[in-house]
Amino acid sequence: MKLSISRRAMLAGSAALALGPGLLRLARADNGVSDTTIRIGQSAVFSGPAKDFGVDYRAGIKLYFDRVNKSGGVNGRKIELISYDDAYDPAKTAVNTAKLIDEDKVFALTGYVATGNLAAAMPLAEKAGVPMFAPLVGTSSFRAKVNHHLFHVRAGYDVELRKIISHLSTIGIQSIAVVYQDSAFGKSNLATCEELAADYKVKVLKTFPLAITAEDAKAVVSGLAEAKPGAVVMIMAGRMVEVFMRDYRASAGGAPLYTLSVGITDAVGSAKRLDGKLAGLVTASIVPPPQALRVPIVADYQRDRAEFGEKIDSYTSLEGYIVARVMVEGLRRAGKTLTHDSFIAGLESIGSTRFGEFPVEYSAKNHNGSTFVDLEMYTRDGQLRR
């Protein structure tokens, strides 16, 4: 006699109950959750010219997870972070993401780096129903509409660029040139920059692409000398900024330089390599200074660095620490029966709040997190001053 689908389902459920909690634990473990562990996956850049982003971001995330695990975990579960290197290559990001979801059976993804890499990962995450939390990406296209599975913490690049362009307009600079990374990140944010410049009546005289692997920027510098902009806005990440600044300063270019928050990660190293020529670069910052102990979350971060012996100390590692703290709050609010839906609901229930004075806002209609942006200027030794 054939059984109906509903009848078979009832019998399967009765069998699971008869076998006891062991089988139920296995079922939960399939999505990265057991009675004792929550498995979180990460694909990021840990090698090559942009490695500081992934290395520092992971260090900050792990630092807070270590703090939570030492205190007993989240609802009795310790957090395990599984990280793979994608070397900044979106194709590798896709391979790593598939492995994390299909083989490692992670509960959620976090700590991804770069626009193109996130674009490669999101279709896989969405298909599997796996939440993607706090990629180090501020590109507007990921934020215009709410994606049920995607949550941001850092402010968007549009907010950073608005801060820069509005500042330039306020101080009377009426023309700019833009040097942008020849990638999805650079091109999409160049368009945002041009729109904002039009809003503030700041003329974009010229735009210059620069390859991620560029060894020099002499052609760009020559073009800037002809354009004579009032300021130069850089939409680039990591060592590309150093390459450009080295050649621009060597040419005695005098226009003020502005960069997004992802422009410099290893500030002390950049200052040494540029032999003091980092001085004067203005950057957008999306977290407080890592030395600003007056800010409670920074004081917590520095306390935990000292306790757990973490040597990395940067804006990016502080960002990772904040990201992990917000993620843990979502996991805590999800309750003992941890599912993707309960985690997403937990994050959305946070509303408008502050984590150690760092502002974050979520709801069912807003997954964008923070809008905190400030402008700071580098000194010759890599320190930042407001």
Side-chain angles (χ1 to χ4, degrees):
M1 181 178 66
K2 291 185 178 180
L3 295 174
S4 68
I5 291 175
S6 59
R7 175 66 173 161
R8 287 199 301 267
M10 288 175 63
L11 290 174
S14 298
L17 290 172
L19 288 170
L23 183 59
L24 297 179
R25 280 197 295 271
L26 287 174
R28 286 204 302 270
D30 284 344
N31 71 351
V33 180
S34 72
D35 283 348
T36 58
T37 306
I38 305 169
R39 241 182 348 261
I40 307 295
Q42 177 189 25
S43 176
V45 51
F46 300 123
S47 62
K51 68 178 182 180
D52 291 335
F53 291 111
V55 171
D56 287 23
Y57 205 33
R58 183 183 187 278
I61 292 169
K62 187 175 181 302
L63 179 61
Y64 190 72
F65 284 172
D66 287 346
R67 161 59 62 195
V68 171
N69 288 343
K70 185 175 181 180
S71 302
V74 183
N75 295 320
R77 299 183 177 103
K78 302 289 182 69
I79 303 174
E80 177 187 355
L81 180 63
I82 303 172
S83 302
Y84 295 127
D85 182 16
D86 59 32
Y88 218 45
D89 180 353
K92 290 183 180 178
T93 304
V95 172
N96 289 349
T97 303
K99 182 179 181 182
L100 286 163
I101 293 171
D102 297 334
E103 298 179 25
D104 297 312
K105 306 290 186 184
V106 297
F107 172 74
L109 301 165
T110 193
Y112 278 53
V113 175
T115 298
N117 304 71
L118 179 61
M122 277 311 301
L124 300 171
E126 290 175 277
K127 183 178 179 180
V130 174
M132 171 72 76
F133 188 75
L136 202 158
V137 174
T139 301
S140 300
S141 58
F142 291 110
R143 298 163 179 264
K145 296 181 180 179
V146 173
N147 183 322
H148 183 67
H149 296 98
L150 175 61
F151 287 80
H152 304 277
V153 172
R154 65 162 33 229
Y157 295 138
D158 59 327
V159 183
E160 295 186 35
L161 286 166
R162 183 177 294 278
K163 187 81 171 182
I164 291 171
I165 300 299
S166 64
H167 167 76
L168 292 173
S169 175
T170 298
I171 63 176
I173 292 180
Q174 299 177 330
S175 67
I176 62 171
V178 183
V179 184
Y180 66 96
Q181 184 169 307
D182 193 7
S183 67
F185 155 69
K187 293 171 185 176
S188 60
N189 290 296
L190 168 64
T192 301
C193 183
E194 290 175 322
E195 291 171 6
L196 288 167
D199 289 345
Y200 285 92
K201 296 180 172 53
V202 174
K203 187 174 183 180
V204 180
L205 299 177
K206 195 80 175 174
T207 64
F208 301 91
L210 190 64
I212 294 173
T213 56
E215 296 295 329
D216 71 73
K218 292 176 182 177
V220 173
V221 169
S222 177
L224 287 169
E226 293 180 11
K228 297 183 175 58
V232 177
V233 177
M234 291 176 281
I235 303 177
M236 301 185 291
R239 294 297 173 84
M240 294 179 66
V241 174
E242 288 186 32
V243 169
F244 169 73
M245 288 193 66
R246 178 198 65 203
D247 292 351
Y248 187 72
R249 299 293 200 207
S251 75
L257 302 177
Y258 289 76
T259 183
L260 295 177
S261 60
V262 293
I264 298 289
T265 53
D266 177 20
V268 175
S270 293
K272 290 179 180 176
R273 288 185 289 270
L274 288 170
D275 192 23
K277 296 181 178 63
L278 186 65
L281 172 64
V282 177
T283 183
S285 297
I286 51 84
V287 295
Q291 288 74 41
L293 296 178
R294 66 184 182 280
V295 181
I297 200 160
V298 176
D300 292 345
Y301 160 76
Q302 292 294 359
R303 176 205 65 205
D304 288 346
R305 280 190 65 243
E307 180 171 337
F308 291 95
E310 178 53 64
K311 294 181 180 179
I312 294 175
D313 183 20
S314 67
Y315 278 73
T316 305
S317 62
L318 173 59
E319 181 181 350
Y321 182 88
I322 293 171
V323 158
R325 184 158 167 179
V326 179
M327 188 178 197
V328 165
E329 178 63 15
L331 293 170
R332 185 188 67 77
R333 287 170 178 251
K336 187 68 176 177
T337 305
L338 181 58
T339 66
H340 294 147
D341 286 341
S342 70
F343 175 52
I344 290 169
L347 287 169
E348 291 178 343
S349 74
I350 286 174
S352 179
T353 190
R354 289 176 176 267
F355 291 82
E357 293 304 314
F358 183 81
V360 173
E361 183 173 354
Y362 293 127
S363 70
K365 296 181 179 180
N366 176 21
H367 288 189
N368 285 340
S370 179
T371 57
F372 175 88
V373 177
D374 207 348
L375 294 181
E376 299 180 285
M377 181 180 287
Y378 282 102
T379 63
R380 61 180 292 111
D381 61 353
Q383 301 301 308
L384 280 166
R385 299 287 183 267
R386 276 180 166 77

